[in-house]
Amino acid sequence: MSDNIFFESTDPVSSPPPSNYDQKCLCVLCLDTSYSMSGQPIEALKEGVDAFFKHNKLDTKARRRIETAIVKFDSNVSWVQNPPLLADEVDIEGVKSNLQLGGSTKLVDGVFEAMRFIEERKAYYREHGVNYYRPFIILMTDGEPDSGQDIMGLSTAIREGVSNKKFTFWAVGTEGYNKDVLSKICQPRTLAGLRYAEFFEWLSSTLTQVSNSKPDQRLLPQPTDAWELSDLSAG
Amino acid sequence: MDWKHIKASILGKKNKARGLPCQDAMHVEINDAWSLAVVADGAGSASMSELGSREVCEFTSKYLKDEVLEAKIPLSAEKMKNCFLACHNHMKDYAQRRGYSLTSLSTTLIVAILYQNKLFIAHTGDGIAGVRKASTSKWEMAMNPHKGEYANETVFITMNIVAESPDSYIEIREYEEHEIDAFFLGSDGCEAATLERDTKEKGRKMKPYPNFFNPILKKLSDSPSTSDLDHMWSEFLREGTEVLYEEDDDKTLIMFYTSA
């Protein structure tokens, strides 16, 4: 290799990789932190988030390309994690300690905030010529939206957003969630027991697969049996 | 002007692991009167895209030689557009004659021609092409890749929308030859290593990364000519920089430069 003149031409110090050359894969976690999550569920959720960040780092490209934002909803909607690149070292302990519980379930407001943020972030990417994959919104809840929230409005917004390819939407109901109400909003999957860690590892694998994909590549979904409660097993 | 070039097209790690051939194709031909370079990148999802990319390279090269270069007819944007449309129609016939679906042959197309004191660069789909201005030594993009909103979507010469809206999907740029002292064209596997985006300044899109191209041009002008340049270039595309090494797509990159 030493006689290859081109290798001699590139010194990693004087010629570092071009800035922001990677396409971004944005994932917004929209997490229920209402009081009903107290005890084992919130601890399992924190462990799951921990596993998610750690798993994302296993793939070189994924760690540069996946951007994670976390919005939580209880009586209020607030941001736990703005999306720095994972390569910039997410403060996982800080994220976990920010997942504090508080009050009721402003689920609808939380998801609308995630959608608003996605459009804001896409505008930022476009402004700077950064390529990006279709973003993901992941909703996790153990309850149902507070009364008076615009369930039908959210349902329409999700349906339109998904069919117009604005984002990919996954809703995961955890123990105690109201499937009838959540089904009015979207098509929820049910988490088996406290398998948050299994779910987040699956999510990380899915995002890793997407963030490694090429133009026009069709992707097969990763199997969900490690974390999903299927109708058969429920029966 | 005394133009030289280096070229390489290499199989990516991903296709190699799957036992697939390189889906990129290229064709370079030069003589005293003209230089012609073609790059085609077959779609990863299309089952016979390596046939598609090879066929568009061969067809486009033959068409341009027969209709323009060897006939010594001046080239124009209109003629270039007709070449792309003829290529689209040819691929339809080609697919039909062999009983293939047109989608299975999906491929992009980029063409560069130095001819009669002009440089033409035209493309459909994604990939990279850029020129260096002789007066300022500044690089600029010579194409605006056709991308869907998302990073894994593009347009192929085999798609009907190209024939339906040629002005939207066949981009043609024309330069005076003396204004340019280097240019390149390549497949999107080289995009990450060779283009940069400046997020500090609003409204600035991607542009050729000078720290990639300039040291290579300097090395080429400093080095005595060697017959082994293309071999070295293909080794370099495989693993010459961190980003090239990590990229597992097929990679094709052709660079033309004038000797000082």
Side-chain angles (χ1 to χ4, degrees):
Chain A
M1 231 179 269
S2 57
D3 55 351
N4 187 322
I5 61 164
F6 299 117
F7 281 85
E8 293 165 14
S9 74
T10 52
D11 165 11
V13 178
S14 59
S15 301
S19 53
N20 299 295
Y21 62 90
D22 262 313
Q23 45 259 51
K24 306 302 181 213
C25 182
L26 174 62
C27 176
V28 182
L29 304 178
C30 192
L31 304 178
D32 185 342
T33 50
S34 58
Y35 274 133
S36 55
M37 284 287 288
S38 60
Q40 279 186 322
I42 190 65
E43 294 311 316
L45 172 64
K46 287 179 182 177
E47 281 173 29
V49 170
D50 191 286
F52 176 67
F53 283 116
K54 286 179 178 155
H55 197 269
N56 285 345
K57 289 185 175 182
L58 298 178
D59 183 274
T60 325
K61 270 190 197 167
R63 67 184 289 152
R64 287 200 315 260
R65 294 181 174 184
I66 298 173
E67 292 194 312
T68 306
I70 304 177
V71 61
K72 70 178 191 122
F73 57 86
D74 38 57
S75 302
N76 298 297
V77 172
S78 56
W79 285 95
V80 177
Q81 167 71 42
N82 285 321
L85 283 173
L86 289 180
D88 292 343
E89 288 303 324
V90 172
D91 173 12
I92 302 176
E93 290 309 314
V95 168
K96 282 155 68 178
S97 68
N98 281 337
L99 285 171
Q100 289 162 350
L101 302 179
S104 58
T105 313
K106 292 220 181 303
L107 181 150
V108 173
D109 294 350
V111 178
F112 272 126
E113 174 63 8
M115 288 183 195
R116 183 202 63 73
F117 175 76
I118 274 183
E119 291 310 310
E120 179 185 301
R121 191 72 177 167
K122 281 184 183 178
Y124 173 82
Y125 293 146
R126 284 194 293 265
E127 209 164 71
H128 299 296
V130 174
N131 295 331
Y132 55 95
Y133 295 97
R134 190 187 311 181
F136 283 72
I137 297 176
I138 308 296
L139 166 66
M140 290 193 97
T141 180
D142 73 333
E144 59 186 273
D146 291 349
S147 58
Q149 293 216 293
D150 184 8
I151 291 175
M152 296 323 289
L154 178 62
S155 169
T156 305
I158 292 172
R159 207 169 46 246
E160 287 178 359
V162 171
S163 66
N164 293 329
K165 298 184 176 180
K166 287 186 172 177
F167 49 77
T168 298
F169 190 88
W170 281 77
V172 179
T174 61
E175 205 165 310
Y177 85 105
N178 189 330
K179 190 170 184 177
D180 291 340
V181 176
L182 205 58
S183 297
K184 289 180 186 165
I185 298 175
C186 54
Q187 292 178 306
R189 308 291 187 115
T190 303
L191 190 75
L194 292 168
R195 294 192 186 172
Y196 287 89
E198 288 85 347
F199 167 75
F200 278 104
E201 283 187 17
W202 168 87
L203 179 62
S204 176
S205 297
T206 299
L207 295 174
T208 298
Q209 186 189 32
V210 170
S211 66
N212 276 276
S213 66
K214 292 293 164 197
D216 202 39
Q217 190 174 341
R218 288 188 188 87
L219 301 173
L220 292 173
Q222 303 270 320
T224 59
D225 52 318
W227 58 267
E228 186 176 14
L229 185 70
S230 71
D231 290 341
L232 284 175
S233 54
Chain B
M1 294 169 77
D2 182 17
W3 288 93
K4 292 181 176 173
H5 73 280
I6 48 173
K7 62 180 187 302
S9 185
I10 62 162
L11 172 66
K13 282 182 274 194
K14 192 170 277 181
N15 281 341
K16 190 177 181 183
R18 290 185 194 146
L20 294 173
C22 180
Q23 291 159 336
D24 283 2
M26 68 170 178
H27 179 87
V28 180
E29 210 169 326
I30 54 170
N31 60 38
D32 290 342
W34 48 264
S35 299
L36 168 67
V38 185
V39 171
D41 178 357
S45 63
S47 59
M48 289 180 294
S49 64
E50 75 279 7
L51 282 185
S53 59
R54 275 213 307 271
E55 188 62 24
V56 302
C57 269
E58 281 175 26
F59 176 84
T60 309
S61 306
K62 184 170 185 324
Y63 181 96
L64 286 165
K65 284 194 289 181
D66 291 350
E67 302 291 324
V68 178
L69 303 171
E70 288 174 353
K72 296 183 178 158
I73 292 170
L75 183 56
S76 64
E78 192 64 22
K79 283 204 174 64
M80 189 64 106
K81 184 166 83 179
N82 290 341
C83 169
F84 274 56
L85 291 173
C87 180
H88 171 81
N89 290 330
H90 169 77
M91 292 309 289
K92 273 184 162 171
D93 291 345
Y94 177 89
Q96 201 171 16
R97 278 202 310 275
R98 287 165 175 73
Y100 300 153
S101 79
L102 195 52
T103 316
S104 72
L105 300 164
S106 295
T107 178
T108 64
L109 175 62
I110 310 174
V111 176
I113 295 180
L114 275 166
Y115 177 57
Q116 296 183 344
N117 305 317
K118 302 266 191 194
L119 167 65
F120 282 84
I121 295 181
H123 88 283
T124 291
D126 61 8
I128 56 170
V131 296
R132 192 171 75 170
K133 290 291 175 81
S135 57
T136 58
S137 292
K138 292 257 194 287
W139 288 94
E140 59 181 63
M141 294 296 290
M143 64 177 259
N144 188 17
H146 300 114
K147 296 198 183 228
E149 179 183 5
Y150 300 122
N152 45 2
E153 301 170 344
T154 189
V155 172
F156 302 109
I157 187 74
T158 39
M159 285 178 166
N160 285 330
I161 49 169
V162 176
E164 288 159 11
S165 310
D167 293 336
S168 303
Y169 297 110
I170 304 169
E171 187 195 11
I172 301 155
R173 299 200 190 182
E174 186 179 337
Y175 303 88
E176 296 298 328
E177 183 182 355
H178 68 87
E179 291 176 351
I180 307 297
D181 67 5
F183 64 94
F184 66 87
L185 61 161
S187 61
D188 82 321
C190 294
E191 181 185 313
T194 61
L195 303 185
E196 67 171 344
R197 292 142 176 102
D198 188 348
T199 51
K200 292 189 193 80
E201 210 173 309
K202 283 191 177 184
R204 284 185 64 180
K205 299 285 183 183
M206 56 191 180
K207 59 177 187 179
Y209 185 46
N211 284 353
F212 179 87
F213 289 105
N214 289 341
I216 286 165
L217 285 178
K218 182 162 188 330
K219 209 74 201 171
L220 284 167
S221 67
D222 290 350
S223 303
S225 58
T226 153
S227 57
D228 211 19
L229 278 180
D230 285 348
H231 176 68
M232 290 184 195
W233 188 230
S234 79
E235 288 301 309
F236 181 76
L237 288 190
R238 209 178 304 282
E239 54 186 3
T241 71
E242 181 188 337
V243 186
L244 285 170
Y245 175 73
E246 277 182 11
E247 178 59 63
D248 49 19
D249 199 1
D250 298 335
K251 284 171 277 193
T252 300
L253 188 52
I254 304 169
M255 189 152 67
F256 278 75
Y257 55 101
T258 54
S259 45

PDB file of all heavy atoms in Angstrom, chain A residues 9-34:
ATOM      1  N   SER A   9      -1.649  10.665  -0.147  1.00  0.00           N
ATOM      2  CA  SER A   9      -2.227  12.006  -0.287  1.00  0.00           C
ATOM      3  C   SER A   9      -3.197  12.342   0.831  1.00  0.00           C
ATOM      4  O   SER A   9      -3.554  13.487   1.014  1.00  0.00           O
ATOM      5  CB  SER A   9      -2.939  12.129  -1.634  1.00  0.00           C
ATOM      6  OG  SER A   9      -4.162  11.418  -1.598  1.00  0.00           O
ATOM      7  N   THR A  10      -3.651  11.322   1.566  1.00  0.00           N
ATOM      8  CA  THR A  10      -4.670  11.618   2.567  1.00  0.00           C
ATOM      9  C   THR A  10      -4.129  11.398   3.973  1.00  0.00           C
ATOM     10  O   THR A  10      -3.848  10.292   4.382  1.00  0.00           O
ATOM     11  CB  THR A  10      -5.903  10.721   2.380  1.00  0.00           C
ATOM     12  OG1 THR A  10      -5.455   9.383   2.322  1.00  0.00           O
ATOM     13  CG2 THR A  10      -6.646  11.070   1.118  1.00  0.00           C
ATOM     14  N   ASP A  11      -3.995  12.462   4.674  1.00  0.00           N
ATOM     15  CA  ASP A  11      -3.576  12.433   6.054  1.00  0.00           C
ATOM     16  C   ASP A  11      -4.828  12.710   6.889  1.00  0.00           C
ATOM     17  O   ASP A  11      -5.471  13.744   6.721  1.00  0.00           O
ATOM     18  CB  ASP A  11      -2.518  13.522   6.242  1.00  0.00           C
ATOM     19  CG  ASP A  11      -2.279  13.829   7.692  1.00  0.00           C
ATOM     20  OD1 ASP A  11      -2.762  13.070   8.541  1.00  0.00           O
ATOM     21  OD2 ASP A  11      -1.610  14.843   7.957  1.00  0.00           O
ATOM     22  N   PRO A  12      -5.208  11.760   7.759  1.00  0.00           N
ATOM     23  CA  PRO A  12      -6.468  11.932   8.489  1.00  0.00           C
ATOM     24  C   PRO A  12      -6.519  13.209   9.326  1.00  0.00           C
ATOM     25  O   PRO A  12      -7.596  13.686   9.663  1.00  0.00           O
ATOM     26  CB  PRO A  12      -6.546  10.688   9.376  1.00  0.00           C
ATOM     27  CG  PRO A  12      -5.404   9.832   9.041  1.00  0.00           C
ATOM     28  CD  PRO A  12      -4.514  10.531   8.078  1.00  0.00           C
ATOM     29  N   VAL A  13      -5.352  13.755   9.680  1.00  0.00           N
ATOM     30  CA  VAL A  13      -5.362  14.980  10.489  1.00  0.00           C
ATOM     31  C   VAL A  13      -5.656  16.195   9.624  1.00  0.00           C
ATOM     32  O   VAL A  13      -6.544  17.002   9.908  1.00  0.00           O
ATOM     33  CB  VAL A  13      -4.015  15.144  11.231  1.00  0.00           C
ATOM     34  CG1 VAL A  13      -4.028  16.451  12.023  1.00  0.00           C
ATOM     35  CG2 VAL A  13      -3.774  13.959  12.144  1.00  0.00           C
ATOM     36  N   SER A  14      -4.938  16.306   8.503  1.00  0.00           N
ATOM     37  CA  SER A  14      -5.182  17.471   7.645  1.00  0.00           C
ATOM     38  C   SER A  14      -6.415  17.269   6.760  1.00  0.00           C
ATOM     39  O   SER A  14      -6.994  18.228   6.275  1.00  0.00           O
ATOM     40  CB  SER A  14      -3.961  17.759   6.779  1.00  0.00           C
ATOM     41  OG  SER A  14      -3.672  16.635   5.986  1.00  0.00           O
ATOM     42  N   SER A  15      -6.818  16.037   6.533  1.00  0.00           N
ATOM     43  CA  SER A  15      -8.013  15.768   5.721  1.00  0.00           C
ATOM     44  C   SER A  15      -9.010  14.925   6.500  1.00  0.00           C
ATOM     45  O   SER A  15      -9.200  13.751   6.202  1.00  0.00           O
ATOM     46  CB  SER A  15      -7.627  15.018   4.441  1.00  0.00           C
ATOM     47  OG  SER A  15      -6.732  15.754   3.688  1.00  0.00           O
ATOM     48  N   PRO A  16      -9.655  15.491   7.513  1.00  0.00           N
ATOM     49  CA  PRO A  16     -10.655  14.709   8.243  1.00  0.00           C
ATOM     50  C   PRO A  16     -11.860  14.462   7.362  1.00  0.00           C
ATOM     51  O   PRO A  16     -11.986  15.090   6.310  1.00  0.00           O
ATOM     52  CB  PRO A  16     -11.009  15.617   9.424  1.00  0.00           C
ATOM     53  CG  PRO A  16     -10.723  16.996   8.940  1.00  0.00           C
ATOM     54  CD  PRO A  16      -9.595  16.877   7.969  1.00  0.00           C
ATOM     55  N   PRO A  17     -12.749  13.553   7.765  1.00  0.00           N
ATOM     56  CA  PRO A  17     -13.935  13.311   6.931  1.00  0.00           C
ATOM     57  C   PRO A  17     -14.727  14.603   6.741  1.00  0.00           C
ATOM     58  O   PRO A  17     -14.708  15.469   7.620  1.00  0.00           O
ATOM     59  CB  PRO A  17     -14.749  12.310   7.753  1.00  0.00           C
ATOM     60  CG  PRO A  17     -13.783  11.690   8.686  1.00  0.00           C
ATOM     61  CD  PRO A  17     -12.738  12.722   8.963  1.00  0.00           C
ATOM     62  N   PRO A  18     -15.417  14.741   5.590  1.00  0.00           N
ATOM     63  CA  PRO A  18     -16.213  15.942   5.389  1.00  0.00           C
ATOM     64  C   PRO A  18     -17.275  16.084   6.472  1.00  0.00           C
ATOM     65  O   PRO A  18     -17.737  15.091   7.024  1.00  0.00           O
ATOM     66  CB  PRO A  18     -16.860  15.729   4.019  1.00  0.00           C
ATOM     67  CG  PRO A  18     -16.584  14.340   3.616  1.00  0.00           C
ATOM     68  CD  PRO A  18     -15.497  13.804   4.478  1.00  0.00           C
ATOM     69  N   SER A  19     -17.644  17.326   6.761  1.00  0.00           N
ATOM     70  CA  SER A  19     -18.604  17.542   7.842  1.00  0.00           C
ATOM     71  C   SER A  19     -20.001  17.107   7.440  1.00  0.00           C
ATOM     72  O   SER A  19     -20.433  17.317   6.313  1.00  0.00           O
ATOM     73  CB  SER A  19     -18.621  19.023   8.235  1.00  0.00           C
ATOM     74  OG  SER A  19     -18.829  19.814   7.087  1.00  0.00           O
ATOM     75  N   ASN A  20     -20.700  16.475   8.363  1.00  0.00           N
ATOM     76  CA  ASN A  20     -22.116  16.092   8.189  1.00  0.00           C
ATOM     77  C   ASN A  20     -22.381  15.316   6.909  1.00  0.00           C
ATOM     78  O   ASN A  20     -23.361  15.553   6.217  1.00  0.00           O
ATOM     79  CB  ASN A  20     -23.004  17.333   8.218  1.00  0.00           C
ATOM     80  CG  ASN A  20     -22.897  18.039   9.534  1.00  0.00           C
ATOM     81  OD1 ASN A  20     -23.279  17.506  10.563  1.00  0.00           O
ATOM     82  ND2 ASN A  20     -22.349  19.236   9.501  1.00  0.00           N
ATOM     83  N   TYR A  21     -21.479  14.401   6.599  1.00  0.00           N
ATOM     84  CA  TYR A  21     -21.652  13.651   5.346  1.00  0.00           C
ATOM     85  C   TYR A  21     -22.704  12.559   5.478  1.00  0.00           C
ATOM     86  O   TYR A  21     -23.191  12.051   4.490  1.00  0.00           O
ATOM     87  CB  TYR A  21     -20.319  13.056   4.888  1.00  0.00           C
ATOM     88  CG  TYR A  21     -19.726  12.075   5.858  1.00  0.00           C
ATOM     89  CD1 TYR A  21     -20.046  10.730   5.764  1.00  0.00           C
ATOM     90  CD2 TYR A  21     -18.853  12.489   6.851  1.00  0.00           C
ATOM     91  CE1 TYR A  21     -19.509   9.825   6.648  1.00  0.00           C
ATOM     92  CE2 TYR A  21     -18.310  11.581   7.740  1.00  0.00           C
ATOM     93  CZ  TYR A  21     -18.636  10.252   7.631  1.00  0.00           C
ATOM     94  OH  TYR A  21     -18.097   9.360   8.511  1.00  0.00           O
ATOM     95  N   ASP A  22     -23.043  12.209   6.721  1.00  0.00           N
ATOM     96  CA  ASP A  22     -23.952  11.085   6.918  1.00  0.00           C
ATOM     97  C   ASP A  22     -25.408  11.499   6.858  1.00  0.00           C
ATOM     98  O   ASP A  22     -25.777  12.557   7.360  1.00  0.00           O
ATOM     99  CB  ASP A  22     -23.703  10.467   8.286  1.00  0.00           C
ATOM    100  CG  ASP A  22     -22.817   9.254   8.193  1.00  0.00           C
ATOM    101  OD1 ASP A  22     -23.086   8.419   7.322  1.00  0.00           O
ATOM    102  OD2 ASP A  22     -21.870   9.163   8.977  1.00  0.00           O
ATOM    103  N   GLN A  23     -26.223  10.635   6.292  1.00  0.00           N
ATOM    104  CA  GLN A  23     -27.664  10.871   6.349  1.00  0.00           C
ATOM    105  C   GLN A  23     -28.174  10.560   7.753  1.00  0.00           C
ATOM    106  O   GLN A  23     -27.621   9.713   8.427  1.00  0.00           O
ATOM    107  CB  GLN A  23     -28.417  10.039   5.321  1.00  0.00           C
ATOM    108  CG  GLN A  23     -28.012   8.606   5.227  1.00  0.00           C
ATOM    109  CD  GLN A  23     -27.116   8.365   4.041  1.00  0.00           C
ATOM    110  OE1 GLN A  23     -26.127   9.073   3.860  1.00  0.00           O
ATOM    111  NE2 GLN A  23     -27.440   7.383   3.238  1.00  0.00           N
ATOM    112  N   LYS A  24     -29.209  11.248   8.152  1.00  0.00           N
ATOM    113  CA  LYS A  24     -29.691  11.114   9.521  1.00  0.00           C
ATOM    114  C   LYS A  24     -30.968  10.278   9.586  1.00  0.00           C
ATOM    115  O   LYS A  24     -31.812  10.335   8.701  1.00  0.00           O
ATOM    116  CB  LYS A  24     -29.988  12.488  10.136  1.00  0.00           C
ATOM    117  CG  LYS A  24     -28.832  13.461  10.061  1.00  0.00           C
ATOM    118  CD  LYS A  24     -27.581  12.937  10.744  1.00  0.00           C
ATOM    119  CE  LYS A  24     -26.447  13.934  10.674  1.00  0.00           C
ATOM    120  NZ  LYS A  24     -25.139  13.326  10.571  1.00  0.00           N
ATOM    121  N   CYS A  25     -31.071   9.502  10.646  1.00  0.00           N
ATOM    122  CA  CYS A  25     -32.269   8.699  10.887  1.00  0.00           C
ATOM    123  C   CYS A  25     -32.823   9.148  12.238  1.00  0.00           C
ATOM    124  O   CYS A  25     -32.282   8.795  13.285  1.00  0.00           O
ATOM    125  CB  CYS A  25     -31.883   7.219  10.900  1.00  0.00           C
ATOM    126  SG  CYS A  25     -33.283   6.137  11.134  1.00  0.00           S
ATOM    127  N   LEU A  26     -33.846   9.990  12.204  1.00  0.00           N
ATOM    128  CA  LEU A  26     -34.379  10.584  13.431  1.00  0.00           C
ATOM    129  C   LEU A  26     -35.440   9.677  14.056  1.00  0.00           C
ATOM    130  O   LEU A  26     -36.336   9.188  13.363  1.00  0.00           O
ATOM    131  CB  LEU A  26     -35.004  11.951  13.100  1.00  0.00           C
ATOM    132  CG  LEU A  26     -35.738  12.664  14.233  1.00  0.00           C
ATOM    133  CD1 LEU A  26     -34.798  12.995  15.392  1.00  0.00           C
ATOM    134  CD2 LEU A  26     -36.397  13.942  13.727  1.00  0.00           C
ATOM    135  N   CYS A  27     -35.314   9.465  15.343  1.00  0.00           N
ATOM    136  CA  CYS A  27     -36.308   8.682  16.087  1.00  0.00           C
ATOM    137  C   CYS A  27     -36.775   9.503  17.275  1.00  0.00           C
ATOM    138  O   CYS A  27     -35.957   9.934  18.087  1.00  0.00           O
ATOM    139  CB  CYS A  27     -35.675   7.375  16.564  1.00  0.00           C
ATOM    140  SG  CYS A  27     -36.804   6.409  17.583  1.00  0.00           S
ATOM    141  N   VAL A  28     -38.070   9.754  17.356  1.00  0.00           N
ATOM    142  CA  VAL A  28     -38.615  10.477  18.505  1.00  0.00           C
ATOM    143  C   VAL A  28     -39.361   9.480  19.395  1.00  0.00           C
ATOM    144  O   VAL A  28     -40.342   8.860  18.971  1.00  0.00           O
ATOM    145  CB  VAL A  28     -39.576  11.601  18.066  1.00  0.00           C
ATOM    146  CG1 VAL A  28     -40.068  12.363  19.295  1.00  0.00           C
ATOM    147  CG2 VAL A  28     -38.886  12.554  17.098  1.00  0.00           C
ATOM    148  N   LEU A  29     -38.857   9.310  20.605  1.00  0.00           N
ATOM    149  CA  LEU A  29     -39.549   8.463  21.583  1.00  0.00           C
ATOM    150  C   LEU A  29     -40.535   9.337  22.336  1.00  0.00           C
ATOM    151  O   LEU A  29     -40.164  10.381  22.871  1.00  0.00           O
ATOM    152  CB  LEU A  29     -38.549   7.861  22.579  1.00  0.00           C
ATOM    153  CG  LEU A  29     -37.391   7.044  22.012  1.00  0.00           C
ATOM    154  CD1 LEU A  29     -36.471   6.571  23.147  1.00  0.00           C
ATOM    155  CD2 LEU A  29     -37.915   5.851  21.229  1.00  0.00           C
ATOM    156  N   CYS A  30     -41.779   8.914  22.352  1.00  0.00           N
ATOM    157  CA  CYS A  30     -42.846   9.692  22.969  1.00  0.00           C
ATOM    158  C   CYS A  30     -43.359   8.836  24.136  1.00  0.00           C
ATOM    159  O   CYS A  30     -44.103   7.876  23.924  1.00  0.00           O
ATOM    160  CB  CYS A  30     -43.905   9.930  21.894  1.00  0.00           C
ATOM    161  SG  CYS A  30     -45.133  11.117  22.317  1.00  0.00           S
ATOM    162  N   LEU A  31     -42.924   9.152  25.355  1.00  0.00           N
ATOM    163  CA  LEU A  31     -43.070   8.209  26.466  1.00  0.00           C
ATOM    164  C   LEU A  31     -44.048   8.700  27.522  1.00  0.00           C
ATOM    165  O   LEU A  31     -43.997   9.856  27.956  1.00  0.00           O
ATOM    166  CB  LEU A  31     -41.696   7.968  27.112  1.00  0.00           C
ATOM    167  CG  LEU A  31     -40.588   7.465  26.172  1.00  0.00           C
ATOM    168  CD1 LEU A  31     -39.276   7.322  26.939  1.00  0.00           C
ATOM    169  CD2 LEU A  31     -40.969   6.148  25.509  1.00  0.00           C
ATOM    170  N   ASP A  32     -44.877   7.793  27.958  1.00  0.00           N
ATOM    171  CA  ASP A  32     -45.862   8.049  29.013  1.00  0.00           C
ATOM    172  C   ASP A  32     -45.149   8.000  30.363  1.00  0.00           C
ATOM    173  O   ASP A  32     -44.557   6.983  30.724  1.00  0.00           O
ATOM    174  CB  ASP A  32     -46.935   6.947  28.923  1.00  0.00           C
ATOM    175  CG  ASP A  32     -48.086   7.159  29.895  1.00  0.00           C
ATOM    176  OD1 ASP A  32     -47.921   7.926  30.860  1.00  0.00           O
ATOM    177  OD2 ASP A  32     -49.140   6.537  29.664  1.00  0.00           O
ATOM    178  N   THR A  33     -45.196   9.117  31.095  1.00  0.00           N
ATOM    179  CA  THR A  33     -44.594   9.130  32.441  1.00  0.00           C
ATOM    180  C   THR A  33     -45.648   9.518  33.487  1.00  0.00           C
ATOM    181  O   THR A  33     -45.354  10.205  34.460  1.00  0.00           O
ATOM    182  CB  THR A  33     -43.384  10.093  32.514  1.00  0.00           C
ATOM    183  OG1 THR A  33     -43.782  11.362  31.957  1.00  0.00           O
ATOM    184  CG2 THR A  33     -42.202   9.559  31.754  1.00  0.00           C
ATOM    185  N   SER A  34     -46.874   9.089  33.235  1.00  0.00           N
ATOM    186  CA  SER A  34     -47.928   9.361  34.221  1.00  0.00           C
ATOM    187  C   SER A  34     -47.686   8.496  35.469  1.00  0.00           C
ATOM    188  O   SER A  34     -46.921   7.532  35.432  1.00  0.00           O
ATOM    189  CB  SER A  34     -49.300   9.057  33.616  1.00  0.00           C
ATOM    190  OG  SER A  34     -49.350   7.714  33.197  1.00  0.00           O
TER     191      SER A  34
END
